[in-house]
């Protein structure tokens, strides 16, 4: 027998992206139309697991009146949690040592005590496995994908990406103008550990000289040759956009600096092997390396610039506001149709629901024959290959 939904919760995991509040607005308005009550869980699952850390209460009742003006607002009224995994919660034991414990059953019991019938979680690609396991334990849940890198598999557009893209393109244009005035080569690193959508589309928007992305291992000599050719034509400046996950062709460069896997595991729950810059590696290494190599090969002065987490802030674009509202309302529609263990995805022109398993341990990367890749090449933008 299907349990009738009367009260649902919404929470956010992972890093901040623009337009989180729009998802809240969409979910609350749609749920209210069905006569459901909506509460928000503060800071991922922490509001329930660690209520003592929230003097104002770990749950926040959400009403249409409260969220009416939130869709375009910056920030997130519920907060987010970079590490919000109830299966691996770090606690201090009786011997004052740090250990990881499984609090998933405790979480489910608290949700039951709070009379929460279903959960909408707004998360990035790394958290779908957590929600899937909670779903397998009996929690009715729907995921909403968010990513400023647009790297969530199964959806054509994660909300947050369009706002990050607009901001990144604006900063790249300023960097290009500064480079032109100073007669230097600007090397700008942007987010994109596994996927180069942000670097590629923003770089195209400002007609960068080169864009280096994780999907296309680059030969720095080819990038330098293009910049030298440009300088010989009288344009002694340049703009190179580098995704943080861009890597040189094997054998052309010394191995990049990596952190000790054991150290990573000690500092970040669940970290194993070369997890990448989201664990403890310092951002900016890609831009620094490319800038130094280009300066050596072109005899032109270069300067690296790292946008990094700056792209996560700011006012959401209209596209992200609409998408956030649609995702929030779509998640409620999925629950009303008795769906669970699914994520809302945008597959133009429709919002659809697919199993979370389609996004677990997967990333949406730039295909070699992508239309964006072909356009970039047509514009004369070097991809370093």
């Amino acid at each position: 027998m299907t349990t009738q939904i009367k009260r649902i919760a919404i929470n956010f995991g992972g890093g901040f992206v623009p337009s989180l509040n729009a998802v809240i607005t969409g979910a609350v308005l749609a749920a209210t139309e069905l006569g459901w009550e909506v509460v928000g869980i503060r800071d991922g699952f922490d509001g329930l697991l660690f209520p003592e850390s929230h003097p104002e209460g770990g749950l926040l009742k959400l009403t249409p009146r409260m969220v009416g003006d939130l869709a375009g607002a910056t920030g997130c009224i519920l907060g987010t949690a970079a590490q919000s995994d109830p299966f691996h919660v770090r606690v201090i034991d009786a011997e004052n040592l740090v250990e990881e414990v499984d609090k998933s059953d405790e979480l489910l019991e608290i949700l039951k005590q709070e009379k929460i019938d279903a959960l909408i979680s707004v998360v990035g690609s790394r958290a779908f496995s957590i929600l899937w396991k909670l779903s397998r334990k009996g929690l009715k849940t729907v995921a909403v994908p968010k990513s400023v890198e647009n790297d969530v598999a199964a959806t054509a557009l994660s909300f947050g990406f369009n706002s990050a893209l607009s901001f990144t393109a604006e900063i790249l244009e300023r960097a290009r103008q500064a480079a032109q005035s100073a007669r230097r080569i600007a090397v700008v690193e942007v987010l994109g550990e596994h996927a180069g959508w942000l670097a590629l589309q923003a770089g195209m928007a400002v007609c960068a000289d080169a864009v280096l992305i994780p999907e296309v291992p680059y030969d720095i000599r080819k990038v330098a040759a293009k910049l030298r050719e440009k300088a010989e034509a009288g344009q002694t400046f340049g703009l190179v956009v580098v995704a943080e996950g861009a890597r040189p062709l094997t054998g052309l460069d010394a191995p990049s600096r990596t952190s000790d896997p054991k150290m990573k595991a000690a500092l970040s729950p669940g970290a194993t092997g070369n997890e990448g810059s989201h664990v403890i590696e310092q951002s900016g290494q890609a831009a620094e390396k490319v800038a130094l190599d280009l300066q050596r090969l072109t005899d032109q002065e270069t300067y690296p610039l790292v946008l990094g987490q700056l792209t996560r802030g700011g006012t959401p674009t209209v596209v992200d506001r609409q998408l956030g509202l649609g995702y929030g309302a779509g998640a409620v529609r999925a629950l009303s149709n008795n769906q669970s263990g699914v994520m809302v995805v945008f597959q133009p022109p429709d919002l659809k629901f697919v199993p979370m398993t389609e996004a677990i341990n997967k990333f949406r990367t730039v295909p070699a024959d992508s239309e964006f890749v072909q356009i970039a090449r047509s514009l004369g933008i070097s991809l370093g290959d």
Side-chain angles (χ1 to χ4, degrees):
M1 180 177 178
T2 302
T3 303
Q4 182 179 4
I5 294 178
K6 296 181 179 179
R7 194 181 199 217
I8 66 173
I10 184 169
N11 73 339
F12 298 86
F16 174 80
V17 304
S19 202
L20 293 179
N21 287 327
V23 183
I24 296 176
T25 301
V28 170
L29 295 181
T32 301
E33 289 294 313
L34 297 175
W36 298 354
E37 181 184 352
V38 185
V39 294
I41 305 173
R42 298 186 189 274
D43 300 330
F45 291 112
D46 289 357
L48 292 179
L49 293 176
F50 304 101
E52 68 279 2
S53 299
H54 301 80
E56 70 281 20
L59 291 179
L60 176 64
K61 185 175 181 179
L62 301 171
T63 65
R65 181 175 181 179
M66 176 185 293
V67 304
D69 298 323
L70 279 182
T74 59
C76 178
I77 62 171
L78 295 178
T80 64
Q83 294 291 345
S84 188
D85 182 355
F87 294 92
H88 299 90
V89 180
R90 305 186 82 178
V91 298
I92 306 297
D93 63 17
E95 298 179 350
N96 205 33
L97 298 175
V98 177
E99 66 173 345
E100 286 188 350
V101 297
D102 184 348
K103 284 182 171 284
S104 59
D105 289 336
E106 179 182 338
L107 174 66
L108 295 176
E109 181 60 30
I110 295 173
L111 288 168
K112 183 178 180 180
Q113 292 173 4
E114 294 290 345
K115 301 186 184 304
I116 294 173
D117 303 309
L119 173 70
I120 296 173
S121 276
V122 185
V123 295
S125 55
R126 290 184 173 86
F128 289 113
S129 60
I130 298 171
L131 296 178
W132 174 247
K133 288 190 291 185
L134 288 173
S135 176
R136 294 290 298 271
K137 277 179 166 278
L139 177 62
K140 181 171 289 189
T141 182
V142 173
V144 172
K146 67 176 179 64
S147 172
V148 296
E149 302 170 20
N150 207 28
D151 61 354
V152 177
T155 185
L157 186 61
S158 298
F159 84 90
F161 174 70
N162 188 264
S163 300
L165 177 62
S166 296
F167 174 80
T168 301
E170 178 184 348
I171 297 301
L172 289 180
E173 178 59 30
R174 295 188 183 194
R176 187 190 66 80
Q177 292 174 10
Q180 182 175 7
S181 177
R183 299 183 182 278
R184 296 179 180 179
I185 298 174
V187 180
V188 185
E189 179 180 315
V190 304
L191 294 176
E193 184 180 357
H194 299 283
W197 295 106
L198 185 60
L200 181 60
Q201 292 184 239
M204 286 172 51
V206 298
C207 294
D209 296 293
V211 176
L212 309 181
I213 59 177
E215 296 87 345
V216 183
Y218 65 85
D219 184 341
I220 196 65
R221 298 170 300 185
K222 293 184 177 181
V223 179
K226 177 176 179 61
L227 292 169
R228 285 198 303 268
E229 180 182 344
K230 180 179 179 179
E232 290 169 0
Q235 294 182 293
T236 55
F237 69 95
L239 173 62
V240 178
V241 183
V242 186
E244 63 179 342
R247 297 290 182 268
L249 283 167
T250 303
L252 287 183
D253 204 355
S256 60
R257 289 177 294 176
T258 58
S259 302
D260 181 356
K262 293 182 179 179
M263 178 68 76
K264 288 182 178 181
L267 296 180
S268 182
T272 57
N274 187 10
E275 295 282 349
S277 61
H278 69 282
V279 184
I280 58 174
E281 289 181 2
Q282 182 180 4
S283 65
Q285 290 184 1
E288 179 184 5
K289 177 60 178 172
V290 170
L292 288 174
D293 286 347
L294 287 177
Q295 185 162 302
R296 175 173 54 84
L297 293 170
T298 64
D299 289 328
Q300 290 181 259
E301 189 174 356
T302 63
Y303 68 92
L305 174 66
V306 182
L307 295 188
Q309 304 303 318
L310 290 175
T311 56
R312 295 184 180 276
T315 303
T317 61
V318 172
V319 170
D320 270 339
R321 290 174 63 174
Q322 291 179 323
L323 197 60
L325 288 165
Y327 272 143
V332 170
R333 188 166 78 245
L335 291 173
S336 69
N337 292 334
N338 199 35
Q339 296 196 60
S340 180
V342 300
M343 59 181 286
V344 188
V345 298
F346 180 49
Q347 296 178 352
D350 302 315
L351 282 178
K352 297 182 179 180
F353 312 115
V354 302
M356 290 183 200
T357 50
E358 293 192 16
I360 293 175
N361 296 326
K362 302 174 185 176
F363 292 98
R364 178 178 179 269
T365 56
V366 180
D369 60 350
S370 162
E371 190 68 27
F372 287 109
V373 170
Q374 297 180 43
I375 293 174
R377 297 190 191 281
S378 298
L379 294 174
I381 298 174
S382 172
L383 299 182
D385 58 347

